[in-house]
Amino acid sequence: EVQLVESGGGLVQPGGSLRLSCAASGFTFTNYAMTWVRQAPGKGLEWVSGISGSGGITWYADSVKGRFTISRDNSKNTLYLQMNSLIAEDTAVYYCAKSQVVTAMTFDYWGQGTLVSVSS
Amino acid sequence: DVVMTQSPLSLPVTLGQPASISCRSSQSLVHSDGNTYLTWFQQRPGQSPRRLIYKVSNRDSGVPDRFSGSGSGTDFTLKISRVEAEDVGIYYCLQGTHWPPYTFGQGTKLEIK
């Protein structure tokens, strides 16, 4: 059974940093691209970033480019999102999602999400 | 970026009645590989999104057959043949043809009348 468990969310001040993790199980992690999607309180879904199965290719939304870094450790079956220079608009539930292919996002399974709050 | 526009944004439906949600894209979603990467998600209250339909009309495993997707080019529809109480939630379309970025529709909130 595919499982994705996010962690690392919390309250952080504007300008601060946070690292999110997504622990994956139930599938061969290295074979699939992974992605982060966020949802601001009461709002819709916004794609944030994606990474290929090997980790060699990454993609970002313009809203986070230069501030966020996606990475993965295939030996630990874990996806990461390093978030720097956080602003209030980054406040959201962050979901990781699995793909069915190695170099594109298909969003077939989602984690339960982790809440990031940016506030002073 | 491709803009995805859903309508209606609010959809009150009587139990047992059909429901239909439209999703329109600002440009054709036909990929050069011949596929059309239009996906539908359901998000029940307090839950994570769940994929229902991929590549316009392919239902995911475990999705009831009362859900169906159709459309082509820039115009797509999610239909529920007979709405049940468990269908309450917000439905999103997503385009995965012209990326990055992947872009979602604004969401359609389905409620029971």
Side-chain angles (χ1 to χ4, degrees):
Chain A
E1 179 194 3
V2 171
Q3 286 201 328
L4 299 170
V5 180
E6 300 94 335
S7 61
L11 176 63
V12 60
Q13 291 188 338
S17 298
L18 215 53
R19 188 176 84 154
L20 306 183
S21 300
C22 170
S25 61
F27 63 101
T28 304
F29 187 64
T30 191
N31 285 357
Y32 302 106
M34 296 290 294
T35 193
W36 289 98
V37 176
R38 68 184 180 184
Q39 186 169 37
K43 301 297 184 183
L45 301 170
E46 179 189 15
W47 175 78
V48 172
S49 182
I51 187 167
S52 64
S54 68
I57 310 172
T58 58
W59 302 271
Y60 297 94
D62 285 347
S63 58
V64 306
K65 201 174 293 183
R67 300 188 300 121
F68 290 12
T69 302
I70 191 172
S71 63
R72 63 193 294 161
D73 185 337
N74 287 345
S75 68
K76 295 183 179 178
N77 288 354
T78 303
L79 173 72
Y80 302 102
L81 186 67
Q82 177 66 44
M83 304 186 296
N84 298 332
S85 304
L86 284 161
I87 59 178
E89 290 73 23
D90 295 320
T91 294
V93 174
Y94 285 73
Y95 298 99
C96 66
K98 172 191 166 293
S99 181
Q100 289 170 298
V101 297
V102 71
T103 54
M105 317 302 139
T106 60
F107 310 87
D108 55 317
Y109 284 95
W110 296 59
Q112 86 289 349
T114 187
L115 176 62
V116 172
S117 296
V118 183
S119 175
S120 54
Chain B
D1 297 355
V2 177
V3 177
M4 305 298 288
T5 304
Q6 289 183 228
S7 63
L9 299 185
S10 178
L11 183 57
V13 184
T14 301
L15 285 173
Q17 293 301 300
S20 179
I21 300 171
S22 169
C23 177
R24 289 189 169 138
S25 57
S26 59
Q27 56 185 280
S28 173
L29 297 187
V30 180
H31 194 276
S32 56
D33 65 9
N35 290 307
T36 299
Y37 295 98
L38 187 284
T39 304
W40 289 97
F41 299 90
Q42 174 196 61
Q43 187 175 31
R44 290 171 170 153
Q47 294 188 13
S48 304
R50 166 199 182 194
R51 196 178 73 175
L52 297 177
I53 304 277
Y54 62 95
K55 286 194 277 187
V56 181
S57 59
N58 295 274
R59 224 176 7 253
D60 270 283
S61 174
V63 175
D65 61 8
R66 63 179 182 275
F67 288 91
S68 64
S70 63
S72 62
T74 61
D75 207 342
F76 304 93
T77 303
L78 175 69
K79 290 182 179 175
I80 310 174
S81 58
R82 294 172 306 280
V83 169
E84 298 189 5
E86 66 178 18
D87 300 335
V88 165
I90 303 176
Y91 292 80
Y92 296 93
C93 61
L94 165 82
Q95 72 83 20
T97 296
H98 305 288
W99 66 276
Y102 290 86
T103 47
F104 290 88
Q106 318 97 298
T108 295
K109 186 173 185 178
L110 186 149
E111 60 180 20
I112 303 302
K113 204 185 289 184

